[in-house]
Structure formats: structure tokens, C-alpha cells
Amino acid sequence: LQKISAERILGELKKTFSAPDLTPFCESGSQLIRGIFGCGARDAYLSALGRSAPLWPVRLALFALCADCGDREDLLRCLKPDGETLRDAALLIRAAQQPPSLETQEDARVYLSLNGRGHTQMCALLFTALTCVDGAYGTAARQLETALSSAAPDGLRQLNITGDDLLALGFNEGPETGEALRSLLIEAAKNPEYNRKDLLESLALELLKKGGD
């Protein structure tokens, strides 16, 4: 990596990742990219990539996860993708290295609400692709895919109560309001039917009462 320009590596990766058929790459391959992989990891990566990873951050994360190197996020930085792609890929790498506990649909809906639809979609794709390397990712991928089709809010913008509403109920501006919104978002994720302003206001008043006790 020190001898080859980041632009050249990124250009080769983009050509590879955009190819509809990865068979030629699997058979002959680019020495530029193949040299970065360990023997078994390269084949696992190519298999995963061909199955389910249409998004560029997901593909970069797969590449880094299967690369035979120490610091995978540093490898990404060497490739110099744009800032948003680098951030998304780095978050995906961390999620894969320390998979979230998604034993129930409630867990998966909370993950969706706290992390957003875009990240959750990419995470589901990444875990699906990694299933061919480790079957334990399969359960998490299925939980996330189901959560994505649920009515759970995928962030504060879909929560049917705002910070101004909480201020009107008597919350203090600042961390108290932020923590209350987060608690209400988690509650609406666990029970999507609670995502109604009247019910959320009732829950908020209970939080306010507990905070004053």
C-alpha cells in the first residue's frame, strides 16, 4: 500500500466492484488487489461480494474485513474514499467486529430507531454477505430485515413528538429533553403502536414525574 497510490487501488476496486459478473476476477484476478488478501479470506470475500452487496460502503467494508491486515479502518483511509463513504464503511466494520445483540425483534427495531434506516439496511446487507464466512451473522441479518419492514420509527424525525412538545410539558431545555426523546424513541421502537402524540405525551409525563421524585 505504501508503494501503490491510493487512487490506483481505489480505481481498481471500483472497476471490480462495478462488474456484474465477478467470475473473471475470481479466476485470474488483479494482482494489485489479490496481494492484499490472505488465501482463504480472498475467496470468502469474493463469494460474499457476488451474493449480496450492491452498496459501495458495504463492499468497502467487506473488502477491509477480509483483507489480511491489522488496522482495517486504516486500510480504508489509505483508499481515500469520500468522507461519508469512509464513515459508513468504518461503522459497518465495527458492527461486524462487535455484532449487536439482536436476539429479538424488539432488539432489532431499537437498533433501527437508534441507527437510522440507511445504516441498518447496509448492516443487513453486510451481515447477509458475511453469513457465508460465519453463519452466526445470518440471524442478525434476518432480524434487521424484518425490523426494516416494521412500523418502528427509524429516527427522531419519525417520532410523533418533538423537543418543543416536551418543553411545553415542563422538561428543561438541554440534556433532559434529549434523554427523554431518546427514551421515547426506544419505547416507540419496542412498541410501534405507541408512536402517537397522545400516548407519547403520557409516557413523557411519567418520565418527568420519575425525574422529579
Side-chain angles (χ1 to χ4, degrees):
L1 284 176
Q2 292 175 347
K3 296 180 181 179
I4 303 171
S5 74
E7 289 78 9
R8 185 180 169 200
I9 294 175
L10 193 56
E12 290 293 325
L13 285 172
K14 283 185 176 179
K15 284 193 290 185
T16 299
F17 292 163
S18 62
D21 181 9
L22 291 178
T23 304
F25 178 77
C26 295
E27 291 175 350
S28 58
S30 164
Q31 294 299 321
L32 176 67
I33 298 174
R34 289 180 66 179
I36 300 173
F37 290 101
C39 295
R42 180 182 65 85
D43 295 333
Y45 163 75
L46 291 172
S47 174
L49 178 62
R51 285 175 52 186
S52 176
L55 299 177
W56 179 231
V58 180
R59 293 181 174 205
L60 271 181
L62 276 169
F63 167 73
L65 285 165
C66 294
D68 187 16
C69 68
D71 189 335
R72 289 170 171 80
E73 291 187 34
D74 190 49
L75 171 62
L76 287 184
R77 286 189 288 273
C78 288
L79 300 177
K80 296 181 180 178
D82 65 81
E84 185 176 356
T85 299
L86 176 60
R87 182 204 65 197
D88 289 342
L91 288 173
L92 290 171
I93 289 171
R94 292 170 206 167
Q97 290 176 325
Q98 294 183 325
S101 176
L102 301 173
E103 296 180 2
T104 67
Q105 255 308 287
E106 211 172 78
D107 295 333
R109 291 196 299 269
V110 169
Y111 188 88
L112 165 65
S113 292
L114 294 179
N115 293 280
R117 180 166 294 272
H119 170 79
T120 303
Q121 287 174 327
M122 289 189 288
C123 213
L125 282 169
L126 178 65
F127 288 173
T128 298
L130 289 173
T131 300
C132 74
V133 180
D134 184 346
Y137 288 103
T139 299
R142 288 189 292 273
Q143 292 281 32
L144 291 177
E145 287 167 359
T146 302
L148 284 163
S149 63
S150 73
D154 58 17
L156 288 174
R157 286 179 297 181
Q158 289 194 349
L159 188 67
N160 287 321
I161 196 169
T162 67
D164 288 341
D165 294 327
L166 295 185
L167 293 175
L169 291 174
F171 282 83
N172 295 317
E173 188 171 1
E176 184 181 51
T177 297
E179 290 170 11
L181 283 171
R182 188 177 191 277
S183 296
L184 293 171
L185 179 63
I186 290 173
E187 195 60 44
K190 291 179 177 179
N191 303 282
E193 65 274 15
Y194 287 4
N195 194 17
R196 288 172 30 194
K197 188 172 182 178
D198 58 332
L199 295 178
L200 292 171
E201 285 181 340
S202 296
L203 291 171
L205 288 171
E206 289 180 17
L207 290 174
L208 190 61
K209 183 178 179 182
K210 288 178 183 177
D213 291 342

